[in-house]
Amino acid sequence: MNVLVINCGSSSLKYQLIDSDSEQVLAKGLCERIGLDGRLVYQKSGLDKEVTEAPMPTHKEAIQLVLDALTNKESGAIASLDEVDAVGHRIVHGGEQFTASALITEEMIKTVEECNELAPLHNPANLIGIRVCTELMPGVPQVGVFDTAFHQTMPAKAYLYGLPIDYYKNYKVRRYGFHGTSHSFVSKRAVEFLGLDKDNSKVIVCHLGNGSSISAVVNGKCVDTTMGLTPLEGLVMGTRSGNIDPAIVEYVAKKENLDIAGIMNVLNKKSGLQGLSGVSSDMRDLEAAADGGNENARNAVDVLCYQIAKFVGGYVAAMNGVDAIAFTAGIGENDLRVRKTVCSYLGYLGIAIDDEANARRGEDVVISTADSKVKVAVIPTNEELAICRDTVAIVSGK
Ligand code: AMP
Protein backbone atom coordinates (compact mmCIF):
# COMPACT_ATOMS: atom_id res chain seq x y z
CA MET A 1 0.00 0.00 0.00
CA ASN A 2 1.31 3.50 -0.83
CA VAL A 3 0.70 5.99 1.98
CA LEU A 4 1.11 9.73 1.57
CA VAL A 5 2.13 11.20 4.93
CA ILE A 6 1.32 14.90 5.34
CA ASN A 7 2.51 17.19 8.12
CA CYS A 8 0.92 20.61 7.62
CA GLY A 9 2.30 23.63 9.48
CA SER A 10 0.93 27.15 9.31
CA SER A 11 3.19 28.20 6.42
CA SER A 12 4.91 24.93 5.51
CA LEU A 13 4.09 21.33 4.69
CA LYS A 14 6.27 18.22 4.87
CA TYR A 15 5.36 15.09 2.95
CA GLN A 16 6.58 11.56 2.32
CA LEU A 17 5.20 8.86 0.04
CA ILE A 18 5.92 5.50 1.67
CA ASP A 19 5.44 1.97 0.34
CA SER A 20 4.07 0.38 3.50
CA ASP A 21 4.98 -3.18 2.45
CA SER A 22 8.70 -2.48 2.15
CA GLU A 23 8.54 0.62 4.41
CA GLN A 24 10.69 2.37 1.79
CA VAL A 25 10.29 6.10 1.18
CA LEU A 26 9.42 6.53 -2.52
CA ALA A 27 9.62 10.34 -2.46
CA LYS A 28 9.71 13.11 0.09
CA GLY A 29 10.02 16.85 0.46
CA LEU A 30 8.42 20.00 1.67
CA CYS A 31 6.60 23.16 0.69
CA GLU A 32 7.87 26.34 2.30
CA ARG A 33 6.69 29.91 2.43
CA ILE A 34 3.04 29.05 1.76
CA GLY A 35 1.08 32.31 1.56
CA LEU A 36 4.27 34.23 0.73
CA ASP A 37 6.17 33.36 -2.49
CA GLY A 38 6.27 29.56 -2.26
CA ARG A 39 8.97 26.93 -2.73
CA LEU A 40 8.63 23.21 -3.41
CA VAL A 41 11.35 20.73 -2.50
CA TYR A 42 10.89 17.29 -4.04
CA GLN A 43 13.17 14.29 -3.89
CA LYS A 44 12.48 10.95 -5.47
CA SER A 45 14.27 8.11 -3.72
CA GLY A 46 17.80 7.71 -5.10
CA LEU A 47 17.75 11.01 -6.99
CA ASP A 48 18.90 14.54 -6.16
CA LYS A 49 16.60 17.10 -4.56
CA GLU A 50 14.66 19.33 -6.97
CA VAL A 51 13.87 22.82 -5.70
CA THR A 52 11.20 24.81 -7.56
CA GLU A 53 10.05 28.35 -6.81
CA ALA A 54 6.30 28.16 -7.35
CA PRO A 55 3.48 30.40 -6.18
CA MET A 56 1.42 28.80 -3.42
CA PRO A 57 -0.99 31.36 -2.00
CA THR A 58 -2.70 28.68 0.10
CA HIS A 59 -2.18 25.05 1.20
CA LYS A 60 -4.39 23.99 -1.71
CA GLU A 61 -1.86 25.06 -4.35
CA ALA A 62 0.92 23.60 -2.21
CA ILE A 63 -0.68 20.14 -2.02
CA GLN A 64 -1.59 20.29 -5.71
CA LEU A 65 2.08 20.97 -6.52
CA VAL A 66 3.13 18.02 -4.35
CA LEU A 67 0.67 15.73 -6.15
CA ASP A 68 1.87 17.03 -9.55
CA ALA A 69 5.49 16.36 -8.56
CA LEU A 70 4.66 12.85 -7.33
CA THR A 71 2.97 12.02 -10.65
CA ASN A 72 5.34 13.94 -12.95
CA LYS A 73 6.14 11.90 -16.09
CA GLU A 74 9.92 12.25 -15.76
CA SER A 75 10.67 12.40 -12.06
CA GLY A 76 7.43 11.25 -10.42
CA ALA A 77 7.44 8.33 -7.99
CA ILE A 78 4.03 7.07 -9.20
CA ALA A 79 2.21 7.12 -12.54
CA SER A 80 -1.08 8.50 -11.23
CA LEU A 81 -2.89 9.43 -8.03
CA ASP A 82 -4.72 6.09 -8.21
CA GLU A 83 -1.51 4.70 -6.71
CA VAL A 84 -2.02 6.66 -3.48
CA ASP A 85 -3.96 4.20 -1.33
CA ALA A 86 -4.26 6.25 1.85
CA VAL A 87 -3.21 9.55 3.41
CA GLY A 88 -1.92 9.89 6.97
CA HIS A 89 -2.05 13.34 8.57
CA ARG A 90 -0.16 14.52 11.61
CA ILE A 91 -2.56 16.38 13.91
CA VAL A 92 -0.99 18.22 16.82
CA HIS A 93 -3.78 18.35 19.42
CA GLY A 94 -6.42 15.73 20.00
CA GLY A 95 -7.36 16.94 23.49
CA GLU A 96 -8.89 14.22 25.67
CA GLN A 97 -11.07 13.09 22.79
CA PHE A 98 -8.43 11.06 20.93
CA THR A 99 -6.48 8.32 22.64
CA ALA A 100 -5.35 6.77 19.36
CA SER A 101 -5.15 7.50 15.64
CA ALA A 102 -8.52 7.63 13.89
CA LEU A 103 -10.12 7.44 10.45
CA ILE A 104 -10.97 10.92 9.22
CA THR A 105 -14.71 11.52 8.87
CA GLU A 106 -16.80 14.69 9.04
CA GLU A 107 -17.64 13.87 12.65
CA MET A 108 -13.96 13.35 13.48
CA ILE A 109 -13.09 16.72 11.91
CA LYS A 110 -15.71 18.42 14.11
CA THR A 111 -14.15 16.85 17.19
CA VAL A 112 -10.67 18.01 16.12
CA GLU A 113 -12.07 21.53 15.62
CA GLU A 114 -13.12 21.49 19.28
CA CYS A 115 -9.42 21.11 20.16
CA ASN A 116 -8.34 24.08 17.98
CA GLU A 117 -8.32 26.45 20.93
CA LEU A 118 -5.65 24.30 22.58
CA ALA A 119 -3.32 24.52 19.54
CA PRO A 120 -4.38 27.63 17.61
CA LEU A 121 -1.29 27.73 15.40
CA HIS A 122 -1.19 24.05 14.48
CA ASN A 123 -4.60 22.37 14.45
CA PRO A 124 -6.25 24.74 11.93
CA ALA A 125 -3.32 24.15 9.53
CA ASN A 126 -3.64 20.37 10.01
CA LEU A 127 -7.36 20.60 9.21
CA ILE A 128 -6.71 22.63 6.07
CA GLY A 129 -4.41 19.82 4.87
CA ILE A 130 -7.17 17.28 5.49
CA ARG A 131 -9.80 19.33 3.65
CA VAL A 132 -7.54 19.93 0.65
CA CYS A 133 -6.65 16.23 0.37
CA THR A 134 -10.34 15.31 0.57
CA GLU A 135 -11.00 17.69 -2.31
CA LEU A 136 -8.03 16.68 -4.47
CA MET A 137 -8.15 12.93 -3.75
CA PRO A 138 -11.84 12.14 -3.19
CA GLY A 139 -12.47 8.63 -1.94
CA VAL A 140 -8.92 8.03 -0.70
CA PRO A 141 -9.12 7.05 3.00
CA GLN A 142 -7.40 9.45 5.39
CA VAL A 143 -6.22 8.91 8.94
CA GLY A 144 -5.38 11.45 11.67
CA VAL A 145 -2.42 10.68 13.92
CA PHE A 146 -2.25 12.86 17.04
CA ASP A 147 0.82 14.19 18.86
CA THR A 148 -1.13 14.00 22.11
CA ALA A 149 -2.73 10.53 21.83
CA PHE A 150 0.14 8.44 23.23
CA HIS A 151 0.15 10.50 26.44
CA GLN A 152 -3.55 9.99 27.19
CA THR A 153 -2.67 7.02 29.42
CA MET A 154 -1.12 9.36 32.02
CA PRO A 155 -2.82 9.10 35.42
CA ALA A 156 -4.57 12.13 36.92
CA LYS A 157 -1.70 12.69 39.37
CA ALA A 158 0.59 13.29 36.37
CA TYR A 159 -1.73 15.41 34.26
CA LEU A 160 -3.40 17.66 36.83
CA TYR A 161 -1.86 21.04 37.63
CA GLY A 162 -2.04 22.64 41.07
CA LEU A 163 -4.76 25.03 39.92
CA PRO A 164 -8.47 25.39 40.81
CA ILE A 165 -10.02 22.11 39.65
CA ASP A 166 -12.72 24.02 37.77
CA TYR A 167 -10.08 25.11 35.25
CA TYR A 168 -9.68 21.45 34.37
CA LYS A 169 -13.41 20.72 34.46
CA ASN A 170 -14.50 23.81 32.53
CA TYR A 171 -11.57 24.55 30.25
CA LYS A 172 -9.67 21.24 30.12
CA VAL A 173 -6.52 22.84 31.51
CA ARG A 174 -4.25 19.83 32.10
CA ARG A 175 -1.02 18.25 30.90
CA TYR A 176 -1.45 16.71 27.42
CA GLY A 177 2.12 16.20 26.23
CA PHE A 178 3.38 16.30 22.63
CA HIS A 179 5.79 14.42 20.32
CA GLY A 180 3.60 11.40 21.15
CA THR A 181 4.17 9.72 17.80
CA SER A 182 7.92 9.86 18.41
CA HIS A 183 7.71 8.74 22.06
CA SER A 184 5.49 5.83 21.03
CA PHE A 185 7.73 4.79 18.12
CA VAL A 186 10.99 5.09 20.06
CA SER A 187 9.77 3.42 23.27
CA LYS A 188 8.40 0.45 21.29
CA ARG A 189 11.56 0.17 19.26
CA ALA A 190 13.73 0.42 22.40
CA VAL A 191 11.88 -2.50 24.01
CA GLU A 192 12.27 -4.57 20.84
CA PHE A 193 15.88 -3.60 20.11
CA LEU A 194 17.08 -4.06 23.70
CA GLY A 195 15.22 -7.35 24.15
CA LEU A 196 13.12 -6.11 27.08
CA ASP A 197 9.87 -7.76 28.16
CA LYS A 198 7.21 -5.41 26.75
CA ASP A 199 4.81 -6.24 29.59
CA ASN A 200 7.42 -5.62 32.25
CA SER A 201 9.46 -2.65 31.10
CA LYS A 202 10.28 0.86 32.29
CA VAL A 203 11.67 3.14 29.58
CA ILE A 204 12.54 6.84 29.51
CA VAL A 205 12.54 8.48 26.08
CA CYS A 206 14.50 11.73 25.66
CA HIS A 207 13.28 13.40 22.44
CA LEU A 208 15.80 16.24 22.13
CA GLY A 209 15.43 18.45 19.08
CA ASN A 210 14.53 22.03 18.42
CA GLY A 211 11.51 21.19 20.55
CA SER A 212 12.34 18.74 23.33
CA SER A 213 10.37 16.49 25.65
CA ILE A 214 10.96 13.47 27.85
CA SER A 215 8.48 10.71 28.65
CA ALA A 216 8.25 7.88 31.14
CA VAL A 217 6.79 4.70 29.65
CA VAL A 218 5.76 1.66 31.71
CA ASN A 219 4.80 -1.53 29.83
CA GLY A 220 4.35 0.48 26.62
CA LYS A 221 2.08 3.09 28.23
CA CYS A 222 3.06 6.70 28.92
CA VAL A 223 2.83 7.58 32.63
CA ASP A 224 4.33 11.07 32.51
CA THR A 225 5.84 13.58 30.10
CA THR A 226 7.43 17.01 30.32
CA MET A 227 5.33 19.05 27.88
CA GLY A 228 2.01 20.26 29.19
CA LEU A 229 -1.13 22.06 28.05
CA THR A 230 1.11 23.38 25.28
CA PRO A 231 4.57 22.47 23.96
CA LEU A 232 6.08 25.33 25.98
CA GLU A 233 6.44 23.40 29.23
CA GLY A 234 9.31 21.22 30.38
CA LEU A 235 12.89 21.39 29.13
CA VAL A 236 14.70 24.45 27.88
CA MET A 237 14.41 24.21 24.04
CA GLY A 238 15.76 25.95 20.95
CA THR A 239 13.79 29.15 21.51
CA ARG A 240 11.23 28.06 24.14
CA SER A 241 11.83 28.69 27.83
CA GLY A 242 10.46 25.43 29.22
CA ASN A 243 9.61 25.58 32.94
CA ILE A 244 9.92 28.92 34.68
CA ASP A 245 8.49 30.43 37.86
CA PRO A 246 5.03 31.64 36.68
CA ALA A 247 5.52 34.86 38.67
CA ILE A 248 8.29 35.85 36.22
CA VAL A 249 5.52 36.61 33.72
CA GLU A 250 4.13 39.51 35.75
CA TYR A 251 7.57 40.72 36.89
CA VAL A 252 9.03 40.90 33.37
CA ALA A 253 5.79 42.24 31.86
CA LYS A 254 6.08 45.25 34.17
CA LYS A 255 9.80 45.75 33.63
CA GLU A 256 9.63 45.44 29.83
CA ASN A 257 6.17 46.96 29.42
CA LEU A 258 4.84 43.85 27.66
CA ASP A 259 1.29 42.51 27.45
CA ILE A 260 0.40 38.81 27.57
CA ALA A 261 0.98 38.36 23.82
CA GLY A 262 4.37 40.08 24.12
CA ILE A 263 5.41 37.82 27.01
CA MET A 264 4.23 34.69 25.19
CA ASN A 265 6.27 35.74 22.17
CA VAL A 266 9.37 36.03 24.37
CA LEU A 267 8.74 32.65 26.04
CA ASN A 268 8.12 30.87 22.74
CA LYS A 269 10.53 32.58 20.37
CA LYS A 270 13.24 34.46 22.25
CA SER A 271 14.07 32.26 25.19
CA GLY A 272 15.58 28.79 25.56
CA LEU A 273 19.04 28.10 24.17
CA GLN A 274 18.75 31.14 21.89
CA GLY A 275 17.83 33.47 24.72
CA LEU A 276 20.37 32.09 27.17
CA SER A 277 23.28 32.13 24.73
CA GLY A 278 22.47 35.13 22.57
CA VAL A 279 24.24 33.06 19.90
CA SER A 280 21.85 30.58 18.32
CA SER A 281 19.05 28.09 18.96
CA ASP A 282 21.09 25.43 17.14
CA MET A 283 23.19 23.06 19.28
CA ARG A 284 25.96 22.87 16.68
CA ASP A 285 26.45 26.65 16.80
CA LEU A 286 26.27 26.66 20.58
CA GLU A 287 28.88 23.95 21.03
CA ALA A 288 31.20 25.67 18.56
CA ALA A 289 30.78 28.96 20.45
CA ALA A 290 31.24 27.22 23.82
CA ASP A 291 34.42 25.55 22.52
CA GLY A 292 35.61 29.00 21.48
CA GLY A 293 35.19 30.26 25.05
CA ASN A 294 31.72 31.86 24.90
CA GLU A 295 30.48 31.55 28.46
CA ASN A 296 26.79 32.18 27.68
CA ALA A 297 26.82 29.41 25.09
CA ARG A 298 28.55 27.08 27.60
CA ASN A 299 25.88 27.90 30.20
CA ALA A 300 23.06 27.23 27.71
CA VAL A 301 24.42 23.74 26.94
CA ASP A 302 24.99 23.07 30.66
CA VAL A 303 21.44 24.17 31.55
CA LEU A 304 19.99 21.79 28.97
CA CYS A 305 22.05 18.77 30.10
CA TYR A 306 21.34 19.47 33.79
CA GLN A 307 17.59 19.75 33.18
CA ILE A 308 17.51 16.53 31.18
CA ALA A 309 19.30 14.70 34.01
CA LYS A 310 16.86 16.12 36.58
CA PHE A 311 13.78 15.02 34.62
CA VAL A 312 15.28 11.57 34.06
CA GLY A 313 15.90 11.30 37.82
CA GLY A 314 12.32 12.38 38.49
CA TYR A 315 10.94 9.76 36.14
CA VAL A 316 13.08 7.02 37.68
CA ALA A 317 11.37 7.94 40.96
CA ALA A 318 7.92 8.09 39.30
CA MET A 319 8.39 4.58 37.82
CA ASN A 320 10.31 3.23 40.84
CA GLY A 321 13.13 2.16 38.54
CA VAL A 322 14.17 2.20 34.90
CA ASP A 323 15.33 -0.50 32.47
CA ALA A 324 16.36 1.68 29.55
CA ILE A 325 16.90 5.26 28.49
CA ALA A 326 16.56 6.10 24.78
CA PHE A 327 17.89 9.27 23.12
CA THR A 328 16.27 10.50 19.92
CA ALA A 329 15.66 13.49 17.55
CA GLY A 330 18.25 15.99 16.23
CA ILE A 331 20.26 16.49 19.43
CA GLY A 332 19.50 13.09 20.96
CA GLU A 333 20.62 11.23 17.84
CA ASN A 334 23.63 13.31 16.90
CA ASP A 335 25.11 15.01 19.91
CA LEU A 336 27.38 12.55 21.68
CA ARG A 337 28.56 15.22 24.12
CA VAL A 338 25.04 15.94 25.38
CA ARG A 339 24.42 12.20 25.84
CA LYS A 340 27.72 11.74 27.66
CA THR A 341 27.13 14.75 29.95
CA VAL A 342 23.57 13.69 30.78
CA CYS A 343 24.71 10.16 31.59
CA SER A 344 27.55 11.45 33.75
CA TYR A 345 24.85 12.72 36.14
CA LEU A 346 23.30 9.23 36.24
CA GLY A 347 26.21 7.23 37.66
CA TYR A 348 24.12 6.63 40.80
CA LEU A 349 21.85 4.44 38.64
CA GLY A 350 24.85 2.29 37.69
CA ILE A 351 24.94 3.78 34.19
CA ALA A 352 28.24 3.67 32.32
CA ILE A 353 28.76 4.82 28.70
CA ASP A 354 30.87 3.09 26.06
CA ASP A 355 32.57 6.02 24.28
CA GLU A 356 33.16 4.12 21.05
CA ALA A 357 29.50 3.09 20.75
CA ASN A 358 28.44 6.62 21.72
CA ALA A 359 30.35 7.96 18.71
CA ARG A 360 28.31 5.87 16.21
CA ARG A 361 25.53 7.62 14.26
CA GLY A 362 22.51 7.00 12.11
CA GLU A 363 21.46 3.63 13.53
CA ASP A 364 19.91 2.01 16.58
CA VAL A 365 22.83 1.55 18.94
CA VAL A 366 23.39 0.62 22.59
CA ILE A 367 25.75 3.21 24.04
CA SER A 368 25.99 1.83 27.58
CA THR A 369 28.71 -0.65 28.56
CA ALA A 370 27.88 -4.35 28.91
CA ASP A 371 27.92 -4.07 32.72
CA SER A 372 25.85 -0.85 32.89
CA LYS A 373 22.88 -1.45 35.26
CA VAL A 374 20.53 0.48 32.93
CA LYS A 375 20.69 0.15 29.15
CA VAL A 376 21.15 3.40 27.28
CA ALA A 377 20.47 3.53 23.54
CA VAL A 378 20.22 5.89 20.61
CA ILE A 379 17.07 5.14 18.61
CA PRO A 380 16.54 7.37 15.54
CA THR A 381 12.93 8.51 15.51
CA ASN A 382 10.78 8.18 12.40
CA GLU A 383 7.48 9.96 12.88
CA GLU A 384 6.51 9.60 9.20
CA LEU A 385 6.93 5.82 9.33
CA ALA A 386 4.91 5.71 12.57
CA ILE A 387 2.13 7.72 10.88
CA CYS A 388 2.30 5.39 7.86
CA ARG A 389 2.02 2.28 10.07
CA ASP A 390 -0.98 3.67 11.99
CA THR A 391 -2.64 4.69 8.72
CA VAL A 392 -2.26 1.19 7.25
CA ALA A 393 -3.50 -0.44 10.47
CA ILE A 394 -6.65 1.71 10.52
CA VAL A 395 -7.38 1.59 6.80
CA SER A 396 -6.99 -2.18 6.66
CA GLY A 397 -9.02 -2.60 9.88
CA LYS A 398 -6.20 -4.31 11.81
P1 AMP B 1 15.14 18.39 15.26
O1 AMP B 1 14.17 19.41 15.77
O2 AMP B 1 14.87 17.00 15.75
O3 AMP B 1 15.36 18.46 13.77
O4 AMP B 1 16.58 18.77 15.90
C1 AMP B 1 17.20 20.00 15.66
C2 AMP B 1 18.36 20.15 16.63
O5 AMP B 1 19.29 19.07 16.43
C3 AMP B 1 19.15 21.44 16.45
O6 AMP B 1 19.44 22.01 17.71
C4 AMP B 1 20.43 20.96 15.82
O7 AMP B 1 21.53 21.76 16.16
C5 AMP B 1 20.60 19.59 16.46
N1 AMP B 1 21.55 18.79 15.69
C6 AMP B 1 21.42 18.30 14.44
N2 AMP B 1 22.57 17.68 14.06
C7 AMP B 1 23.44 17.79 15.10
C8 AMP B 1 24.79 17.38 15.33
N3 AMP B 1 25.47 16.72 14.41
N4 AMP B 1 25.35 17.69 16.52
C9 AMP B 1 24.68 18.37 17.45
N5 AMP B 1 23.40 18.79 17.30
C10 AMP B 1 22.79 18.52 16.14
Side-chain angles (χ1 to χ4, degrees), residues 207-211 281-284 287 329-331 334-335 361:
H207 177 112
L208 310 173
N210 195 31
S281 61
D282 191 300
M283 269 313 268
R284 288 164 289 200
E287 284 174 336
I331 298 171
N334 295 302
D335 198 322
R361 268 171 67 177

